[in-house]
Amino acid sequence: MRIGELAERAGTTTRALRYYESRGLLPARRDAQGHRTYDERDLRLLRQIRTLKDFGFELEETRPFVECLRAGHPEGDLCPASLVVYRRKLDELDALIGELTAVRTQVGAQLARAERERAELAAEAEVPGGPEPVCELGRGGRP
């Protein structure tokens, strides 16, 4: 198949395919007229790349999976190098989850503090002579 058909079947662009070719992830075979030609194995490589990219893998991180498929394995993650990338990605995800959990905890604490202070101000406002809460944002941010 030609580059346009492969791009359409893989759900990508010809530009992306040329880029993958330049990075050595997609073979650069040519027919007698000099046109790029591809087969079902190439479509399989592209699907592996796309799946990993959808999971947040960088393009270079897909290389061991592509090489595993090229070596004739039925799945791109059956080789030791692919498993190393999976482990490294899981470590990165765990670190991100930890960071997001910490941020969530901080935002939750800020929300609880703000709600407490707002309730205290509202209670003071109900007392004769108590302060009336003023929200500058309610005036378009201008005092």
Side-chain angles (χ1 to χ4, degrees):
M1 78 185 89
R2 301 284 257 318
I3 193 168
E5 181 183 351
L6 180 63
E8 184 177 325
R9 289 184 62 190
T12 191
T13 64
T14 57
R15 183 177 181 192
L17 298 184
R18 288 185 192 100
Y19 180 69
Y20 296 161
E21 181 183 311
S22 74
R23 300 297 308 228
L25 293 168
L26 192 62
R29 292 185 302 273
R30 305 259 180 182
D31 65 14
Q33 292 81 31
H35 298 116
R36 290 174 172 86
T37 61
Y38 303 96
D39 58 26
E40 293 299 318
R41 290 173 300 184
D42 301 319
L43 180 59
R44 196 160 163 230
L45 293 177
L46 283 172
R47 287 184 174 150
Q48 178 75 79
I49 292 168
R50 297 258 327 190
T51 297
L52 293 169
K53 299 258 314 143
D54 288 347
F55 290 161
F57 286 69
E58 297 295 325
L59 184 60
E60 194 54 37
E61 291 174 312
T62 69
R63 187 174 300 280
F65 298 86
V66 169
E67 290 172 356
C68 192
L69 285 171
R70 280 189 185 156
H73 295 277
E75 299 294 332
D77 57 7
L78 296 180
C79 296
S82 301
L83 300 178
V84 167
V85 174
Y86 270 157
R87 286 186 194 100
R88 186 172 44 236
K89 184 55 76 176
L90 280 176
D91 289 344
E92 288 175 19
L93 291 170
D94 287 341
L96 285 172
I97 289 168
E99 290 173 21
L100 287 172
T101 300
V103 168
R104 186 185 191 290
T105 299
Q106 290 174 348
V107 170
Q110 287 295 96
L111 173 62
R113 180 204 49 78
E115 287 176 334
R116 248 187 343 268
E117 288 181 17
R118 186 172 191 287
E120 289 169 6
L121 286 173
E124 289 175 12
E126 291 179 9
V127 174
E132 180 72 26
V134 177
C135 181
E136 296 299 327
L137 294 178
R139 295 188 216 165
R142 291 183 289 256

